[in-house]
Amino acid sequence: IAAGSFTVPAGASVTVTIKPVPAPSTKPGDGTVVGNVYQFSARASTGQTLTLVAGHPATIVLEAPRTGGPQLTLERFDASTWTPLKTFQSGCGDTDEAASPSLGLFALIAQGSTGPGSANAPSSAGPPVALIVAAVIIVVLALAIGATRLSRGLR
């Protein structure tokens, strides 16, 4: 949050708080919350809750609990709906950031995934193709080596 982002009463200081909170009962319509939900807030030393001045967005940065997987979007919850923010991957691939015009609840949302067992969840059914291909290659190599040794022994 840059200087000048709040209208602060004269002589007051600002405290910005970021804390994990329980996920709201309203779920995102476009995916599943990944990791924690965080409450971002600002308060003047006079007790006044502060809001961001227009044109002075806060940059929100959250770290995903894992790298890889579905596309993640940083979203803000406004007491009734989740709103996706233009999200950029930053850091070493496991942090995402977005500019938000207001503070509040934020979380990373796995796009297109609505949790285990749902219609949009990745399927774990079916054989692991890479494992089967590797096993076939090993068997073919073993047969080729065995055939070569057998033909040398018959000479």
Side-chain angles (χ1 to χ4, degrees):
I1 300 174
S5 294
F6 300 110
T7 302
V8 183
S13 61
V14 176
T15 300
V16 175
T17 304
I18 303 168
K19 65 180 180 178
V21 296
S25 58
T26 302
K27 305 298 180 208
D30 56 351
T32 303
V33 173
V34 175
N36 294 326
V37 174
Y38 292 94
Q39 172 70 54
F40 286 66
S41 59
R43 185 172 298 281
S45 56
T46 58
Q48 175 186 2
T49 298
L50 301 174
T51 58
L52 293 167
V53 172
H56 290 267
T59 300
I60 309 297
V61 180
L62 295 179
E63 181 177 6
R66 63 187 182 281
T67 57
Q71 175 67 38
L72 300 179
T73 300
L74 215 153
E75 296 194 17
R76 182 176 47 83
F77 184 72
D78 67 3
S80 63
T81 58
W82 287 92
T83 303
L85 302 171
K86 186 169 176 92
T87 305
F88 301 93
Q89 194 172 51
S90 61
C92 295
D94 58 353
T95 56
D96 294 273
E97 69 178 70
S100 176
S102 62
L103 301 179
L105 296 179
F106 295 89
L108 288 172
I109 308 300
Q111 297 301 302
S113 168
T114 56
S118 72
N120 292 335
S123 172
S124 59
V129 176
L131 184 59
I132 292 172
V133 170
V136 168
I137 290 172
I138 290 171
V139 168
V140 169
L141 287 173
L143 289 173
I145 291 170
T148 302
R149 287 186 178 171
L150 183 62
S151 70
R152 285 183 182 168
L154 293 176
R155 290 185 193 177

